[in-house]
Amino acid sequence: LAEISKMAADDYVGFTFFVGSMAMMAASAFFFLSMNDFDRKWKTSILVSGLITFIAAVHYFYMRGYWESFGESPTFFRYVDWVLTVPLMCVEFFLILRAAGAKRSLMWRLIILSVIMLVTGYLGEAVFRDQAWLWGLISGIAYFIIVYDIWLGKAKQLATSAGGNVLKAHKTLCWFVLVGWAIYPLGYMAGTPGWYDGLFDGLSMDVIYNIGDAINKIGFGLVVYNLAVSSSGSKK
Amino acid sequence: LAEISKMAADDYVGFTFFVGSMAMMAASAFFFLSMNDFDRKWKTSILVSGLITFIAAVHYFYMRGYWESFGESPTFFRYVDWVLTVPLMCVEFFLILRAAGAKRSLMWRLIILSVIMLVTGYLGEAVFRDQAWLWGLISGIAYFIIVYDIWLGKAKQLATSAGGNVLKAHKTLCWFVLVGWAIYPLGYMAGTPGWYDGLFDGLSMDVIYNIGDAINKIGFGLVVYNLAVSSSGSKK
Ligand SMILES: CC1=C(/C=C/C(C)=C/C=C/C(C)=C/C=O)C(C)(C)CCC1
Ligand SMILES: CC1=C(/C=C/C(C)=C/C=C/C(C)=C/C=O)C(C)(C)CCC1
């Protein structure tokens, strides 16, 4: 366990790091302990949900320690986390649509786009902060292509042809990507200098990112879990 | 595990932190290791009971370390713990009543009320201590709406229509919320300044909170466990 230090009562960033780390841990326990109730098809998807929250739990422990020790944004660990978990979310889209005939090329396309989105975001946030707006823009374009692909492109067609619970779950996940993921660019603008200075004054980048992560990682996993419940029927 | 330090023989707060942390750990082991004896419906409820005590176990380890190191109330960690575990208790109400037709809106309503209760409580206890009575009052109103909802509102109707073991378990949980949860406002008054000064002299806020947690978290889980035993019939 981490060392214990005093936390200021109004350290809201620290508060959300702590809540986040435990929520991710509890969510991982939930996914790992319940995945065996389902047939293999759904089991794999729930296992991946659990990996996403588990990876996040470990990074949240680092990040909260970093925050306690240095009082600075743990940007480095943040992106280490995202670069693993966001591609895994793309894998989830693929796993859900696999029965409807999704090809791996769809998965790789989403993975590559998400890596471009994150690498350019990291460059803007941590390396070339003076051009943060430019890197954010490139990152945002990759983000919009992902949104397009799943809302209107190939993934959408496959979901429609699958119909039923799969279509419903796909739609919910699409909303997560459109609305839930849009939380992150807000955090980015709150935390980097640019023409948008002043728009997000008083909002903390880390609080925004932490809220986004809780919604997206755990929420995403629960959608997949519900899909498994509603369409597999328990093995037992 | 934390380092070992000497404990004063009359450190009753420390004593209850230690007892609490082990009790939560043992309860988690009990719930996690026994959940597989039940069908999925009840298994999920028992899993959530285990998550509640597990989250608490981790925070009790922090809190006892904090108490040992600084001799101060670990208010920060206390609320990190509550803000995760109390909403999970609201989920339990929903899970139990789901078969009787409970909607998610019922669950979200209880969750939101509980978060309001806790956020305002935190503000009074940790941030605006001079107005502790006011924040406590707002928190108390949210608490009473929860009590009303489950005793007389929609949740009650659903429990009645479910009847049998579910109704019995629901009633017991209602008593937990009415009597068991009422322990917390007492702790709050013992630990904050206000017109109630002197009423609770000599009582320690942390001892009261620790007793409340042991009763509510473990007791709540055991009620759910009993419901599973009495109404599912074991798989074996
Ligand atoms: C568009 C955009 C961004 C998008 C980030 C996103 C969408 C992150 C998603 C993270 C998730 C979903 C994590 C959960 O596991 C950045 C990089 C902030 C840079 C600014 C522009
Ligand atoms: C009404 C009220 C409070 C209620 C707290 C409660 C009801 C906490 C319940 C915690 C539980 C059940 C934890 C177990 O997991 C506060 C915040 C002390 C502030 C004063 C007014």
Side-chain angles (χ1 to χ4, degrees), chain B residues 52 79 81-82 85-86 89 117-118 121-122 125 136 139-140 143 181 184-185 188 209 213 216-217:
Chain B
I52 292 172
Y79 277 85
D81 177 69
W82 286 350
T85 52
V86 181
M89 290 177 160
M117 172 181 88
L118 294 171
Y122 184 73
E125 199 172 315
S139 175
Y143 169 54
W181 291 22
Y184 299 98
Y188 183 88
Y209 282 166
D213 273 1
N216 288 301
K217 292 190 220 246

Side-chain angles (χ1 to χ4, degrees), chain A residues 98-176:
Chain A
R98 194 167 43 174
K103 301 225 178 61
R104 289 199 184 203
S105 57
L106 173 86
M107 175 182 87
W108 283 111
R109 189 182 149 90
L110 291 176
I111 290 179
I112 290 168
L113 283 165
S114 70
V115 172
I116 294 175
M117 172 181 88
L118 294 170
V119 169
T120 51
Y122 184 73
L123 292 176
E125 198 173 315
V127 187
F128 307 113
R129 283 179 70 85
D130 293 339
Q131 282 93 44
W133 67 272
L134 179 64
W135 294 103
L137 182 71
I138 304 174
S139 175
I141 292 170
Y143 169 53
F144 274 116
I145 302 176
I146 296 174
V147 170
Y148 177 87
D149 270 16
I150 56 172
W151 272 88
L152 303 162
K154 187 80 192 145
K156 168 69 188 200
Q157 283 168 36
L158 289 165
T160 311
S161 84
N165 291 321
V166 170
L167 178 59
K168 251 168 61 190
H170 179 80
K171 266 207 188 125
T172 315
L173 294 182
C174 282
W175 279 107
F176 268 95

Side-chain angles (χ1 to χ4, degrees), chain B residues 3-190:
Chain B
E3 285 180 35
I4 315 247
S5 48
K6 286 216 179 185
M7 306 294 300
D10 60 350
D11 177 359
Y12 301 112
V13 174
F15 203 93
T16 55
F17 272 127
F18 264 84
V19 172
S21 61
M22 282 314 296
M24 297 297 173
M25 222 162 102
S28 311
F30 178 79
F31 294 128
F32 288 152
L33 292 172
S34 64
M35 63 181 219
N36 285 316
D37 292 345
F38 304 94
D39 348 292
R40 194 171 65 219
K41 179 164 177 248
W42 297 117
K43 194 167 159 172
T44 310
S45 303
I46 297 176
L47 171 52
V48 174
S49 298
L51 292 179
I52 292 172
T53 51
F54 177 66
I55 293 172
V58 175
H59 289 115
Y60 267 76
F61 278 97
Y62 293 148
M63 290 198 281
R64 77 185 205 193
Y66 190 94
W67 176 259
E68 277 173 46
S69 311
F70 307 113
E72 267 178 26
S73 292
T75 305
F76 184 92
F77 298 100
R78 179 80 73 187
Y79 277 85
V80 170
D81 177 69
W82 286 350
V83 98
L84 290 163
T85 52
V86 181
L88 281 177
M89 290 177 160
C90 300
V91 172
E92 289 278 32
F93 271 101
F94 166 73
L95 288 176
I96 287 174
L97 298 175
R98 193 167 46 173
K103 300 224 178 62
R104 290 199 182 201
S105 57
L106 174 87
M107 175 182 86
W108 284 112
R109 189 182 148 90
L110 292 176
I111 290 179
I112 290 168
L113 284 165
S114 69
V115 171
I116 294 175
M117 172 181 88
L118 294 171
V119 169
T120 51
Y122 184 73
L123 291 176
E125 199 172 315
V127 187
F128 307 112
R129 284 180 70 86
D130 293 339
Q131 282 94 43
W133 68 272
L134 178 63
W135 293 103
L137 182 71
I138 303 174
S139 175
I141 292 171
Y143 169 54
F144 274 114
I145 302 177
I146 296 175
V147 170
Y148 176 87
D149 269 18
I150 57 173
W151 273 87
L152 303 162
K154 187 81 193 145
K156 168 69 188 201
Q157 283 167 37
L158 289 166
T160 311
S161 84
N165 291 322
V166 170
L167 178 59
K168 252 168 60 189
H170 179 80
K171 266 206 188 127
T172 315
L173 294 183
C174 282
W175 279 106
F176 268 95
V177 175
L178 183 66
V179 180
W181 291 22
I183 295 172
Y184 299 98
L186 298 181
Y188 183 88
M189 291 196 269

